[in-house]
Amino acid sequence: MKSKIMQYLPASLYLTLIYLFFYIPIIILIIYSFNKAQYSLLWHGFSLRWYEELFADTDLWIAVWHSLVLGFFAATAAMCIGSLAAVSLYRYAFKGRQLLYGMVFILILTPDIVMGISLLILFSFVKISLGFWSLLLAHITFCIPFVVVTVYSRMASFDEYIFEAAKDLGANDVLIFRRIIIPLLWPAMLAGWLLSFTLSVDDVIISYFVTGPGFEILPLKIYSMVRLGVKPEINALCSVTFVLTLLLVIISQVALRKKP
Amino acid sequence: MKNENGLKYFSLSVIWIWLIIFALLPFLLVSIVSFLSHDENHLIRLPFTLAHYIDLNNAIYLKIFEKSFYLAGLCTIICLILGYPFAYAIARMENHFKSLFILLIIIPFWTSSLIRTYSMITILKPKGIINSVLLWLGIIDKPLALLYSDIAVVIGLIYNLLPFMVLPLLTNIERLDNRLLDAARDLGANRFTTFRKITLPLTMPGIISGSILVFLPAMTIFYIPDLLGGSKSILLGNLIQNQFLVTQNWPLGSAISIVFTLLLGFLLFIYWRTMRGKEHGNLI
């Protein structure tokens, strides 16, 4: 028994250290979000002052709303375009198939900053004013490849004979798509949607270039707040988002476990 | 039979048109802009010139390129050293624990990366956690100037990018065939030899994917040097951002981006050449 503990000890110590590295910054922010003092790192007593300020900050809530709207539309459009692309990439033989596949991969690997400036140049050439539409087009563009990859890898696990059987039974492409592909693919499409939504809501770099004065989104609002210096309100915001994500994860885990 | 091809042509034209307008065309525009002249009032104007590429041959810019590659490389190597044993330990767990521990890696990354970078400030400050602990332990007698230095930038980058190293490694190590390790041991190889001759070569795809996923963003996440670095901690991302949004020199900014993209393309090409023939794919 003792030797078993000794065998696992180094590994568990190491894992603990890395997890501490991941979580300590967040835990510290949560603790300081309840601190009375504004500048000091010393504990000045418990207070909910920063939460009150956070909930009273209307600009911030507008930015949250903008981010959610943008994320919703970007993820939905990216899911539709990306899923169609993945299905055709998988099912059809056509000229330029390798090229299309290659372009999707290159788009994933393109550094955000290069995508940001190139879209900025595009929008200023075709005179699309910077704001909601420029952000939406940019977000759809960087989400599409992630949907394609997610849906494509799911399709690769299908039994090919399903399509042949459907065809033999007289189904055309649209019917196959509606009756076979969509019902089998929706978990992957949903995963693609969720991935796109998170990418969109969290993106700083690309949005930074294509944003306009009329439509402020949350990450850029946070960026401008953070650059101005230490603001305990941000600690409160971080705690709220962290607790919300934790709740979502727990709910989804419980929901998934209940299903057989 | 009309329906037969309708769907195919519809989906293919949608994706092609989208990629051409929003990926290919913008990149062509960047290339064109990089050859245009800089104009204070109109951002860009004719005639075509090579001036910006020649400007890049300036010691300041070369230094930033060199430094970006150096810091991103350093960050990648540290992520690999920290991440490999970590991924290995998780990959060898029982399935039930494994998914929990993987979830624990991902959860922090659902909160904004900006906020997490900001929290590094409170840790690295002169009166922050690291300095307080080191002072208390008596290892140092006055606070280290961690914040606003290159060290802070590297720590911030590692904090943000470590999961991108761990996750590809994890999927790769999971697929490792245990029988090969047993066979090596049966044939008398010690742990080190087994690792060097079997584990390492078989997990090379994971190592390379992870390194690419860490190295590429490390050079361009401009908000990390901006928040954690000093005035000298300018990386490529900050340089490009400055040219576009501060000094408004779009042609120079474009030229920097093009050179940067070509360098990355070259690295990826080398990767593709060395990986060809081996088990390929699983880049993402």
Side-chain angles (χ1 to χ4, degrees), chain A residues 99-162:
Chain A
L99 189 67
L100 186 58
Y101 202 70
M103 265 182 86
V104 168
F105 266 93
I106 288 172
L107 210 54
I108 290 181
L109 289 173
T110 307
D112 285 356
I113 197 161
V114 174
M115 203 187 275
I117 58 148
S118 50
L119 286 168
L120 171 66
I121 291 178
L122 174 78
F123 292 144
S124 65
F125 261 85
V126 296
K127 302 219 160 41
I128 291 179
S129 64
L130 297 180
F132 174 73
W133 290 105
S134 59
L135 280 167
L136 182 64
L137 291 170
H139 281 217
I140 294 172
T141 307
F142 74 71
C143 290
I144 285 176
F146 290 96
V147 178
V148 174
V149 171
T150 320
V151 175
Y152 188 89
S153 60
R154 169 86 192 178
M155 282 213 85
S157 68
F158 282 1
D159 189 346
E160 287 228 22
Y161 295 119
I162 296 178

Side-chain angles (χ1 to χ4, degrees), chain A residues 20 26 52 75 89 94 169 180 185 196 205 215 224 229 246:
Chain A
L20 279 178
I26 295 175
E52 283 161 24
L89 265 176
F94 55 90
L169 294 170
I180 297 180
L185 264 192
S196 304
I205 298 180
F215 194 83
S224 63
L246 210 58

